[in-house]
Amino acid sequence: MNAVPLLPTHAQSQRRRNRGAVLQALLGEVTASRADLARLTGLSRPTISEVVGDLITDGVILETGQSTGTRPGKPAVMLEVDGESVQTIAVDLSEPDWIVGAVCGPDGRVLVRRETARSGGDDLPGATSTLVAELARVAGTTPLGVGIGVPMGMTTGDLSALEGAVRAQPSVVSLPVHVVADAELAARAEARVAPADQEFLLVRLGDGISTAIVTGYLGDSGARTARELAHVDVGGDAGRACRCGQRGCVHAWIAEFGARIAGASDETSRAALRVQAGTVLGKPLAAIVSALDLPHVVLSGSSDLIDEGFCSAAETALAAARLTHAHVEVRRSEAEDAVLRGAVAQVLAAELI
């Protein structure tokens, strides 16, 4: 028997990119015709027809009827992603006090939401797996997969225990499970709402500080961009020790400012503390954005630190520390439920594209 020749790597990659481009365009437009998709993606009409045909066969998109426009000629057949059959379970473990989970549509829209309180002594793998099993039961269809956002700093053993507990649930055992750093997922969500092809450094603020660099196409689920921000000693004594042992580490300072803001008695004091915190964060970011020549820094997280004053102070400190004088914009993330939405995008990229 003759062996079936393997598809060349370049051709495989191109097909994935075409499929990803069509899905991204369709998710952004909600509904579109084949001609619309050709215009939005820049792909040829024959390529669009091939990709759309494959996606319809796979049950990912469906034809919803003819357009109601008044243009000359035969009405176009409209397409949309099948939200009933393409659902994802997304979980956000980036908050120290809560486990947040949801059943989401392909556009990241939350269909069912569940939140579970947690404490330091809880069995995190057990609590997470129980929540995922409940979401699998209430989903309207068999989910495409499970995406879980975790904070940086979890050990390999902790990650394995978490994934193993989730996979052991009978209602989940057949589903693919993707455990990914929260910063990378937040970056995926931000890339969906940011201008096309915009390059940026996303900084995720929580118990620690992690970063994800977004440059170009995010459809390849194999990309791993998230890294913990280096434990740079920015000087002084934060009043607490970081897990790295330093007391002047940027992580220790940001955690200390967060505690001070939580305990402040008035908004004026909180605003002043946020400006100080932004100044501390801006300095170590300068080396990253200078080396990679990134024009945008996006701050993500539910931290009480992030407001306009914090962003402005970080931008000023970053500009002062840079070796060049190119302007770098620092702004807050525009993506709501960023980790959940990013988890959906991660699963879609891995399972559909």
Side-chain angles (χ1 to χ4, degrees):
M1 180 181 293
N2 293 328
V4 178
L6 295 176
L7 193 67
T9 301
H10 176 72
Q12 275 187 325
S13 176
Q14 191 60 52
R15 284 192 175 186
R16 286 176 61 87
R17 286 176 178 269
N18 292 345
R19 190 175 171 106
V22 169
L23 281 173
Q24 292 281 29
L26 199 51
L27 287 170
E29 295 295 310
V30 180
T31 182
S33 67
R34 289 168 174 79
D36 293 332
L37 292 174
R39 173 178 53 82
L40 290 166
T41 63
L43 299 174
S44 67
R45 293 290 186 93
T47 298
I48 289 294
S49 294
E50 180 183 356
V51 173
V52 166
D54 288 344
L55 290 171
I56 290 175
T57 300
D58 293 345
V60 177
I61 67 176
L62 47 79
E63 296 179 330
T64 59
Q66 296 182 332
S67 66
T68 57
T70 57
R71 68 180 184 180
K74 184 179 178 180
V77 176
M78 305 306 291
L79 307 160
E80 66 181 49
V81 177
D82 187 353
E84 293 299 318
S85 63
V86 182
Q87 296 182 5
T88 297
I89 295 174
V91 180
D92 180 1
L93 299 181
S94 65
E95 295 294 334
D97 301 323
W98 294 91
I99 301 173
V100 181
V103 177
C104 300
D107 57 355
R109 180 170 49 92
V110 173
L111 306 176
V112 179
R113 187 186 189 95
R114 297 285 189 271
E115 297 184 2
T116 301
R118 57 182 281 203
S119 64
D122 284 347
D123 173 15
L124 183 60
T128 303
S129 63
T130 298
L131 179 61
V132 169
E134 179 187 351
L135 291 168
R137 286 193 296 270
V138 299
T141 185
T142 301
L144 186 66
V146 181
I148 303 175
V150 298
M152 297 295 294
M154 289 185 70
T155 67
T156 301
D158 289 340
L159 292 172
S160 296
L162 173 65
E163 184 173 345
V166 171
R167 290 184 182 278
Q169 290 286 347
S171 57
V172 184
V173 68
S174 63
L175 302 180
V177 178
H178 302 271
V179 181
V180 182
D182 60 347
E184 183 176 343
L185 297 184
R188 282 187 174 276
E190 185 66 27
R192 281 193 166 187
V193 298
D197 299 324
Q198 183 183 87
E199 297 183 341
F200 58 85
L201 173 72
L202 183 133
V203 181
R204 182 79 180 170
L205 296 174
D207 280 354
I209 308 169
S210 52
T211 64
I213 300 166
V214 173
T215 55
Y217 182 67
L218 273 175
D220 184 359
S221 61
R224 297 291 178 184
T225 60
R227 298 290 184 271
E228 188 171 44
L229 186 66
H231 290 260
V232 178
D233 190 335
V234 293
D237 185 345
R240 64 173 66 202
C242 180
R243 68 173 180 269
C244 70
Q246 298 185 84
R247 299 179 70 86
C249 165
V250 61
H251 292 257
W253 271 113
I254 294 300
E256 177 61 20
F257 277 120
R260 292 181 188 179
I261 289 170
S265 59
D266 59 88
E267 184 53 39
T268 300
S269 299
R270 287 190 285 271
L273 288 167
R274 291 187 184 104
V275 169
Q276 295 177 51
T279 301
V280 167
L281 180 64
K283 295 177 182 178
L285 292 180
I288 302 174
V289 298
S290 292
L292 298 172
D293 195 25
L294 295 171
H296 302 276
V297 173
V298 179
L299 306 179
S300 174
S302 60
S303 170
D304 287 338
L305 283 171
I306 307 174
D307 71 349
E308 185 175 343
F310 181 89
C311 293
S312 178
E315 187 173 298
T316 299
L318 194 157
R322 277 170 60 89
L323 299 176
T324 64
H325 298 289
H327 175 68
V328 178
E329 176 198 30
V330 179
R331 60 176 173 81
R332 183 163 193 165
S333 172
E334 300 173 6
E336 297 182 4
D337 283 329
V339 174
L340 296 180
R341 289 180 174 270
V344 173
Q346 177 76 27
V347 173
L348 260 64
E351 305 303 324
L352 293 184
I353 297 175

